[in-house]
Amino acid sequence: MSAQRYPYYLANVAQAPNADLEVIDKYHGTLAARVALPDAATIERAIAAAVAAEAPLRALPPYARQQILEHCVARFRERQEELALTLCVEAGKPIRDARGEVTRLIDTFKVAAEEAVRIDGEVLNLEISARARGYRGFTRRVPVGACSFITPFNFPLNLVAHKLAPAIAAGCPFVLKPSEKTPLGALIIGEVLAETDLPAGAFSILPLPGDHAAALVEDARFKLLSFTGGQIGWDLKARAGRKKVLLELGGNAACIVDGDQRARLDAVVERMIFGAFYQSGQSCISVQRILVQREMYAGFRQRFVTAAAALRMGDPRDAAVTLGPVIDAAAAARLRTWLDEAIGSGARLLCGGKGEGLLLPASVLENLSHAAKLWREEAFGPIAVLEPFDDFDAALRTVNDSGYGLQAGVFTDSMAHALRAWDALDVGGVIVGDVPSFRVDNMPYGGVKRSGLGREGIRASILEMTEPRLLVIREQADASH
């Protein structure tokens, strides 16, 4: 990393009044960096600055917003390896996954730069009856105003980018609270933003503990709150008042392997291993529940378990490592408890187990009760569950047997089955021919049920961060005629 001490950003300016927040190297367990910790007065100044920046940022022309985002793209490309190594340290993310996330950060800002000059309105036909004869309607989209963003630890760059880049494109000032466990990537983004011509007060980046961030949820001066994290999001929504609220709250994604996949089973297993275990399963769309057509189940199980057992744990800086540490001791203890409960209630452990410290091996279970936490809740760790099915429609019902609904995957060559899954699955997105962990950063992304509300993805986010403003013009008759 380039520095051992990091400032926060208040109204576009780096501030380092202290170094009170400690960031731990998740693999070595040692102190990696110290970060300035904002106080209540700083939060108030950040909110006031964002509100004051609403008018000048709204007035910033689209091409200027585009240039700011393009500057970020260029600087992120220059700092790719620094950003990737920072992810290795603060999040314990394996270097291959970290480099991939930096690529997505760049893509996200690049697409936002393109969309900044495409925020269009429409012409409305108002002459729907005789009383509206001579009336013409037009809309243009305007920014909603100051936004509050709260992001989690697992994608410290790209989940931040999915809030910041659309906000800049839309013309919305913001205050961001990155996870206090992984704030460094967001602060590097802040360093790059501070190089731009954003109006004063357009952004603040404040790494706060969650219990210090009430104002970011409750303050009525914010027009929008966007939160990515756990089920506490519903409590935040209840406290948010009249502002618009967007929530992405995780899932326990399922994937179906249809009976026509026998010839490509090795390729399906390869993608499923990626989907279940990349970055140690700490993804909202990690593959957790795998349903395989019964005639192929034994062959799939043998291949999948062999591949899972071969995955390497260890130092995330090692390019051969797939499984780095989980985020903290509490997460590791919870996962071990859930594994014990599952096995104690009759589930069969096919590979993996408890591991040691923050390192957990890839674990695969079968015969799991649908009442178990590892079926009903989000594991957020390197654990996958296998189950055979006989009937495709029954498999769809099993996927829907969940309080979550973020994304689901279906491996099938049948167009009828693909369309039936699209119709029947109660999720935000259905991925056919790949794992539910697949995401491209310009596609609309979000869930239903306990998985949240609203959509991200650059264009979808811009639509959430803007609102249509209507103009109606009545043609006046010429009195001389």
Side-chain angles (χ1 to χ4, degrees):
M1 293 183 294
S2 61
Q4 294 299 312
R5 291 177 179 253
Y6 289 76
Y8 57 68
Y9 286 84
L10 171 62
N12 305 34
V13 179
Q15 304 276 352
N18 59 64
D20 291 348
L21 178 63
E22 296 184 348
V23 179
I24 303 302
D25 181 316
K26 302 305 185 293
Y27 177 71
H28 290 104
T30 55
L31 181 66
R34 291 185 177 275
V35 174
L37 189 63
D39 58 15
T42 301
I43 299 169
E44 169 57 32
R45 291 169 62 195
I47 298 171
V51 173
E54 286 179 343
L57 191 51
R58 178 177 295 180
L60 198 66
Y63 70 84
R65 300 176 198 167
Q66 183 181 57
Q67 289 170 353
I68 288 166
L69 291 161
E70 287 174 340
H71 170 84
C72 294
V73 169
R75 294 289 284 129
F76 297 152
R77 284 176 173 155
E78 293 169 1
R79 301 178 70 170
Q80 283 188 73
E81 194 63 12
E82 174 196 354
L83 286 161
L85 289 172
T86 299
L87 287 182
C88 274
V89 171
E90 68 171 341
K93 183 168 295 199
I95 188 63
R96 290 178 298 175
D97 296 335
R99 288 172 177 147
E101 184 173 345
V102 177
T103 299
R104 291 184 61 192
L105 164 72
I106 293 167
D107 285 347
T108 299
F109 270 80
K110 181 174 182 291
V111 174
E114 295 165 354
E115 291 293 338
V117 294
R118 298 177 187 159
I119 304 174
D120 301 319
E122 60 181 327
V123 178
L124 303 176
N125 173 30
L126 299 182
E127 293 184 310
I128 61 173
S129 65
R131 76 178 187 86
R133 182 176 179 180
Y135 286 83
R136 298 176 183 269
F138 308 87
T139 65
R140 62 187 177 96
R141 299 199 71 84
V142 299
V144 297
C147 297
S148 172
F149 300 140
I150 301 175
T151 55
F153 69 82
N154 59 319
F155 284 90
L157 292 176
N158 202 43
L159 291 180
V160 167
H162 267 282
K163 302 189 189 302
L164 273 53
I168 294 168
C172 292
F174 58 85
V175 180
L176 165 72
K177 189 202 93 63
S179 170
E180 69 275 19
K181 298 175 184 177
T182 56
L184 305 184
L187 294 171
I188 294 174
I189 292 174
E191 183 182 343
V192 172
L193 289 177
E195 300 168 353
T196 72
D197 294 326
L198 279 168
F203 77 93
S204 294
I205 300 177
L206 306 178
L208 296 159
D211 56 0
H212 292 188
L216 300 187
V217 175
E218 299 167 4
D219 197 294
R221 289 171 290 180
F222 286 120
K223 310 304 191 302
L224 179 146
L225 166 66
S226 180
F227 171 84
T228 301
Q231 292 299 297
I232 193 176
W234 297 113
D235 174 63
L236 303 187
K237 178 178 180 292
R239 294 161 45 199
R242 292 182 294 177
K243 64 178 67 67
K244 180 186 286 191
V245 177
L246 307 176
L247 302 175
E248 199 275 86
L249 306 181
N252 56 1
C255 197
I256 296 172
V257 183
D258 207 356
D260 57 11
Q261 298 297 292
R262 187 181 301 276
R264 59 188 301 263
L265 206 52
D266 288 338
V268 173
V269 167
E270 181 180 357
R271 287 302 293 163
M272 209 78 80
I273 288 288
F274 164 79
F277 302 118
Y278 81 105
Q279 64 178 59
S280 300
Q282 295 175 116
S283 167
C284 295
I285 42 178
S286 175
V287 175
Q288 186 168 330
R289 299 176 295 148
I290 301 172
L291 309 177
V292 184
Q293 200 276 336
R294 189 175 299 275
E295 291 182 3
M296 296 192 310
Y297 181 76
F300 178 93
R301 178 180 59 192
Q302 185 273 324
R303 290 171 172 84
F304 186 81
V305 171
T306 298
L311 296 177
R312 283 187 56 181
M313 297 188 299
D315 188 337
R317 298 165 184 80
D318 183 345
V321 164
T322 299
L323 300 164
V326 296
I327 192 62
D328 57 26
R334 175 184 57 80
L335 288 164
R336 291 180 177 116
T337 297
W338 287 11
L339 272 172
D340 283 342
E341 290 176 354
I343 295 167
S345 63
R348 180 185 176 197
L349 182 67
L350 301 176
C351 71
K354 293 187 174 184
E356 184 176 349
L358 301 189
L359 291 174
L360 283 83
S363 296
V364 183
L365 299 168
E366 67 177 357
N367 300 329
L368 181 69
S369 165
H370 288 193
K373 289 187 178 72
L374 283 174
W375 183 272
R376 306 225 64 84
E377 300 299 329
E378 180 178 39
F380 222 68
I383 301 173
V385 178
L386 306 184
E387 182 169 294
F389 71 87
D390 296 298
D391 174 74
F392 186 78
D393 288 325
L396 296 177
R397 291 192 293 272
T398 300
V399 173
N400 283 338
D401 177 27
S402 170
Y404 295 95
L406 191 47
Q407 291 196 159
V410 181
F411 285 89
T412 185
D413 292 332
S414 165
M415 182 59 72
H417 280 188
L419 293 177
R420 198 178 308 163
W422 194 22
D423 286 340
L425 291 178
D426 194 11
V427 295
V430 177
I431 312 298
V432 175
D434 209 342
V435 289
S437 321
F438 176 80
R439 182 182 180 188
V440 176
D441 295 294
N442 64 336
M443 75 189 203
Y445 172 78
V448 298
K449 300 188 283 188
R450 292 174 66 194
S451 288
L453 55 92
R455 293 294 181 269
E456 290 191 345
I458 304 305
R459 187 164 184 80
S461 292
I462 289 172
L463 289 174
E464 297 278 14
M465 294 176 189
T466 59
E467 53 196 7
R469 179 166 293 175
L470 176 66
L471 172 68
V472 175
I473 298 176
R474 181 187 179 189
E475 296 180 4
Q476 301 296 324
D478 189 334
S480 64
H481 296 286

